[in-house]
């Protein structure tokens, strides 16, 4: 089965409480109405735990940005605990690798005290260290980024990665999951498709089936630097169509859910600058540098979150910056420049070259070189 990335809904794991359901219903109504001031809370809290990483992937935008590594402050994390019984999901991901945060497991434990589902995306290098926590704290879903079905390809692209180790650890997690007759954690591969690895997608689906993973998600490479421009799939529609077709057939045969981006020229966004964007209604994103942003795939920064004064959340959620963004994000005449060339995989328009190539553009947050964490000199 082939599906597309979610734009309004989220992963449906454990049953939501009545309080969560009511907030979700209200949020969906306000989203559809394009309300600028919301009575509902977000449906998802997205926390970028760090902008640092233990790998050096060839396509990562971090290589084209200058910054000092930052880490999410635990005082700030704990301040959001009351909301974890209202939102659907707490997502731990951003520009860096979340599992290297020294309090990653503690964060899972804190979320587990509440009703929100737990999701994170990882490069898979710390699976052995977090395996017990996955079950102890009932992680609903996590994604593992791999960019090849062979260790030669994956480890070349994802420098510092070890595909053999990742596969062994995933098999051990799936084995324990089956032994305990558990439906969690739901695991999917995320594959960044580029010229030199596209041909391995069918074999990656076979590998997922061998491990016991339920889903493979494909995103296109977005090029941030001239050094990997030759890896872009922009203008390679026929090759992509052929591989996607083979992958779909194998996925159907093996029972693997396949989440694919549109082939360029066929995106439902047609001539729009991007698909209808709902993130500023659905998601609250807080970076490891302390800045609230609309989403992780934009340099736009609203303001610093002031942990010292602990603002009432709805005053943050309905701050003038949020109101303005909601009013213009889908307006082709008024939207911010980064939104006009959106590369966020769920919302960008794959008919546009800008979704594939961002060379020379201001694509990443303006990380502060002196910044060491959250809660310093907030503006709210």
């Amino acid at each position: 089965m082939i599906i597309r990335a979610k734009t309004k809904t989220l992963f449906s794991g454990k049953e939501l409480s009545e309080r969560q359901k009511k907030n979700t219903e209200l949020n969906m109504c306000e989203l559809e109405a394009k309300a600028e001031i919301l009575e509902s809370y977000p449906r998802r809290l997205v926390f970028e735990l760090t902008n640092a990483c233990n790998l050096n992937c060839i396509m990562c935008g971090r290589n084209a940005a200058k910054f000092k590594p930052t880490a999410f402050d635990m005082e700030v994390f704990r301040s959001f605990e009351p909301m974890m019984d209202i939102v659907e999901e707490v997502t731990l991901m951003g520009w860096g690798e979340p599992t290297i945060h020294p309090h990653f497991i503690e964060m899972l434990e804190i979320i587990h005290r509440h009703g929100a589902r737990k999701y994170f995306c990882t490069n898979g290098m710390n699976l052995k260290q977090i395996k017990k926590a996955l079950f102890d704290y009932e992680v609903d879903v996590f994604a593992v980024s791999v960019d090849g079905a062979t260790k030669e390809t994956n480890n070349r692209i994802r420098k510092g990665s070890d595909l053999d180790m990742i596969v062994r650890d995933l098999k051990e997690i799936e084995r324990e999951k089956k032994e305990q007759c558990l439906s969690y954690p739901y695991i999917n591969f995320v594959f960044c498709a580029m010229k030199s690895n596209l041909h391995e997608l069918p074999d990656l689906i076979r590998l997922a089936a061998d491990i016991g993973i339920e889903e493979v998600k494909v995103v296109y490479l977005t090029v941030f630097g001239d050094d990997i421009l030759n890896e872009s799939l922009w203008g390679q529609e026929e090759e992509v169509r052929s591989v996607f077709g083979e992958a779909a057939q194998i996925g159907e045969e093996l029972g693997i859910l396949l989440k694919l981006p549109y082939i360029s020229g066929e995106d439902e966004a047609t001539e729009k600058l991007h698909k209808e964007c709902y993130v500023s209604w659905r998601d609250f994103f807080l970076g490891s540098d302390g800045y609230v942003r609309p989403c992780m795939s934009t340099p736009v920064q609203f303001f610093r979150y002031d942990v010292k004064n602990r603002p009432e959340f709805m005053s943050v959620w309905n701050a003038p910056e949020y109101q303005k963004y909601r009013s213009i994000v889908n307006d082709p005449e008024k939207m911010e420049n980064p939104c006009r060339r959106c590369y966020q995989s769920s919302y960008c328009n794959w008919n546009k070259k800008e979704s594939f190539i961002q060379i020379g553009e201001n694509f990443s947050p303006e990380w502060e070189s002196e910044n060491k964490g959250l809660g310093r000199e907030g503006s709210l």
Side-chain angles (χ1 to χ4, degrees):
M1 179 181 177
I2 298 176
I3 61 173
R4 305 297 178 186
K6 298 180 177 69
T7 56
K8 293 182 182 179
T9 59
L10 296 169
F11 177 81
S12 56
K14 65 181 179 182
E15 182 71 14
L16 299 175
S17 69
E18 288 304 312
R19 188 181 186 188
Q20 288 170 310
K21 289 177 182 177
K22 287 180 180 179
N23 184 68
T24 291
E25 290 169 3
L26 177 57
N27 184 265
M28 288 291 283
C29 288
E30 293 180 325
L31 179 157
E32 295 290 349
K34 293 183 169 56
E36 295 170 20
I37 299 176
L38 307 185
E39 295 182 17
S40 63
Y41 286 84
R43 305 206 311 274
R44 178 165 72 164
L45 298 176
V46 185
F47 297 145
E48 176 187 68
L49 300 194
T50 180
N51 58 9
C53 191
N54 52 349
L55 299 187
N56 184 27
C57 303
I58 64 170
M59 68 291 188
C60 184
R62 296 168 68 259
N63 295 326
K66 295 180 180 180
F67 62 94
K68 185 172 183 177
T70 55
F72 206 98
D73 187 279
M74 283 301 293
E75 182 183 358
V76 175
F77 190 87
R78 294 187 185 96
S79 75
F80 282 92
E81 275 201 70
M83 289 183 58
M84 295 178 190
D85 285 313
I86 304 173
V87 303
E88 288 185 38
E89 178 181 291
V90 179
T91 295
L92 307 177
M93 67 176 294
W95 276 84
E97 169 56 37
T99 67
I100 68 173
H101 192 286
H103 298 285
F104 177 77
I105 291 177
E106 182 183 355
M107 290 176 175
L108 295 181
E109 191 275 330
I110 290 172
I111 304 169
H112 187 57
R113 299 174 195 163
H114 303 279
R117 295 163 180 157
K118 296 167 282 291
Y119 169 72
F120 64 91
C121 184
T122 177
N123 57 40
M125 292 302 291
N126 288 334
L127 290 174
K128 195 180 302 296
Q129 293 91 321
I130 67 172
K131 175 193 165 188
K132 186 175 184 297
L134 298 175
F135 296 101
D136 286 350
Y137 305 126
E138 300 180 8
V139 169
D140 299 88
V141 53
F142 70 90
V144 181
S145 295
V146 292
D147 292 331
T150 64
K151 65 179 182 180
E152 290 78 15
T153 298
N154 178 78
N155 300 358
R156 172 184 58 81
I157 295 171
R158 306 184 64 79
K159 296 179 181 179
S161 181
D162 184 341
L163 183 62
D164 288 345
M165 183 181 78
I166 293 169
V167 169
R168 287 195 301 270
D169 291 344
L170 285 171
K171 285 184 175 180
E172 182 61 23
I173 291 168
E174 286 291 342
R175 182 194 62 77
E176 184 162 337
K177 178 179 168 181
K178 290 177 182 178
E179 286 182 355
Q180 297 188 39
C181 298
L182 299 173
S183 60
Y184 63 84
Y186 181 94
I187 306 172
N188 68 299
F189 275 148
V190 178
F191 177 79
C192 182
M194 58 191 82
K195 275 188 181 179
S196 66
N197 71 356
L198 180 65
H199 65 285
E200 292 194 11
L201 176 59
D203 281 338
L204 185 66
I205 295 170
R206 294 185 180 98
L207 178 60
D210 180 59
I211 295 170
I213 289 176
E214 295 98 326
E215 176 187 316
V216 174
K217 175 183 177 180
V218 179
V219 299
Y220 292 123
L221 165 72
T222 298
V223 176
F224 299 108
D226 290 301
D227 54 331
I228 57 168
L229 180 58
N230 64 332
E231 287 279 16
S232 177
L233 289 172
W234 172 250
Q236 306 297 314
E237 292 81 15
E238 291 311 308
E239 182 181 1
V240 171
R241 190 188 313 280
S242 174
V243 174
F244 280 11
E246 181 184 356
Q249 182 178 350
I250 294 170
E252 185 71 25
E253 292 170 356
L254 298 178
I256 301 296
L257 189 64
L258 191 58
K259 187 178 289 184
L260 294 176
Y262 287 98
I263 294 173
S264 186
E266 300 176 5
D267 196 303
E268 64 178 6
T270 60
E271 299 301 317
K272 293 181 180 179
L273 293 171
H274 58 69
K275 299 178 184 66
E276 285 291 301
C277 179
Y278 306 110
V279 291
S280 56
W281 287 269
R282 188 189 70 179
D283 300 346
F284 176 77
F285 182 92
L286 185 54
S288 61
D289 60 355
Y291 278 91
V292 176
R293 305 202 300 272
C295 74
M296 66 173 285
S297 302
T298 179
V300 174
Q301 295 171 321
F302 285 162
F303 42 77
R304 279 185 74 89
Y305 184 85
D306 183 6
V307 69
K308 292 179 181 179
N309 296 318
R310 292 285 177 87
E312 194 277 323
F313 179 76
M314 293 307 284
S315 69
V316 177
W317 187 224
N318 286 315
E321 292 88 344
Y322 260 116
Q323 292 182 47
K324 179 183 177 182
Y325 198 82
R326 291 170 186 142
S327 72
I328 66 174
V329 65
N330 293 308
D331 186 329
E333 302 299 324
K334 298 179 180 179
M335 69 176 67
E336 301 266 9
N337 283 333
C339 296
R340 301 179 68 83
R341 48 180 172 77
C342 175
Y343 66 89
Q344 208 281 342
S345 62
S346 296
Y347 292 99
C348 70
N349 181 353
W350 292 116
N351 297 333
K352 294 174 62 63
K353 183 178 181 179
E354 292 83 357
S355 299
F356 291 84
I357 300 172
Q358 292 272 321
I359 296 174
E361 301 289 359
N362 179 23
F363 64 89
S364 66
E366 293 296 327
W367 285 300
E368 299 175 14
S369 60
E370 77 278 5
N371 190 4
K372 295 183 179 179
L374 282 177
R376 296 168 178 83
E377 302 176 2
S379 62
L380 274 186

